[in-house]
Amino acid sequence: MSNIPKDLKYTKSHEWVKPNADGSVTVGITHHAQDLMGDMVFVDLPTAGTKVTGGKECGVVESVKAASDVYAPVSGEIVEANAALSDSPETVNKDPYGSGWMFRLKPANKAEVDALLDAKAYEALVASEKH
């Protein structure tokens, strides 16, 4: 059973999004996604100042099983990447919703964040993929 925190938003491509008090959002990949990929061995993230488009790839994670794109959940500008992951990519496996966060971005349109999946909808998506 995947861990799906109720206070986060989610994408269909398995990123989680946490709105911050300053209007930015913190982004990572879900417990479900990291569990499917297995042990992370490499993380390549966008740098601060990079403009990203919602739904488009903006990074890469590699595990012992495969490489996978990381998608921007919404359009906006990257304000910070989690530099610690380049030395310790396994942090994504150990704490995907905490110290395994990937980047923070300033959304161009807050409505895009509001339109993401809530925990209940994401749980239904994960359940549908198991069949």
Side-chain angles (χ1 to χ4, degrees):
M1 183 70 182
S2 292
N3 176 10
I4 303 174
K6 303 288 186 220
D7 61 334
L8 302 177
K9 293 288 209 167
Y10 300 91
T11 67
K12 291 180 180 176
S13 53
H14 305 289
E15 287 82 18
W16 59 261
V17 176
K18 178 182 178 185
N20 300 314
D22 66 357
S24 69
V25 296
T26 302
V27 179
I29 64 170
T30 66
H31 179 274
H32 174 72
Q34 68 79 28
D35 191 45
L36 287 177
M37 290 195 67
D39 296 336
M40 296 292 170
V41 295
F42 179 75
V43 176
D44 183 32
L45 299 173
T47 56
T50 302
K51 304 267 190 204
V52 296
T53 301
K56 301 290 185 186
E57 59 197 54
C58 66
V60 174
V61 291
E62 287 183 31
S63 71
V64 293
K65 293 181 180 176
S68 181
D69 292 326
V70 175
Y71 297 91
V74 296
S75 298
E77 181 177 337
I78 302 295
V79 293
E80 182 181 7
N82 187 351
L85 294 182
S86 62
D87 291 333
S88 302
E90 69 278 4
T91 305
V92 175
N93 298 110
K94 293 177 183 171
D95 191 13
Y97 298 114
S99 55
W101 65 276
M102 298 199 157
F103 55 87
R104 293 191 172 100
L105 73 89
K106 187 81 167 178
N109 182 352
K110 185 181 178 310
E112 286 186 70
V113 177
D114 295 339
L116 295 171
L117 302 175
D118 63 16
K120 186 175 180 178
Y122 182 69
E123 190 172 338
L125 173 73
V126 170
S128 72
E129 291 182 349
K130 291 181 179 175
H131 298 286

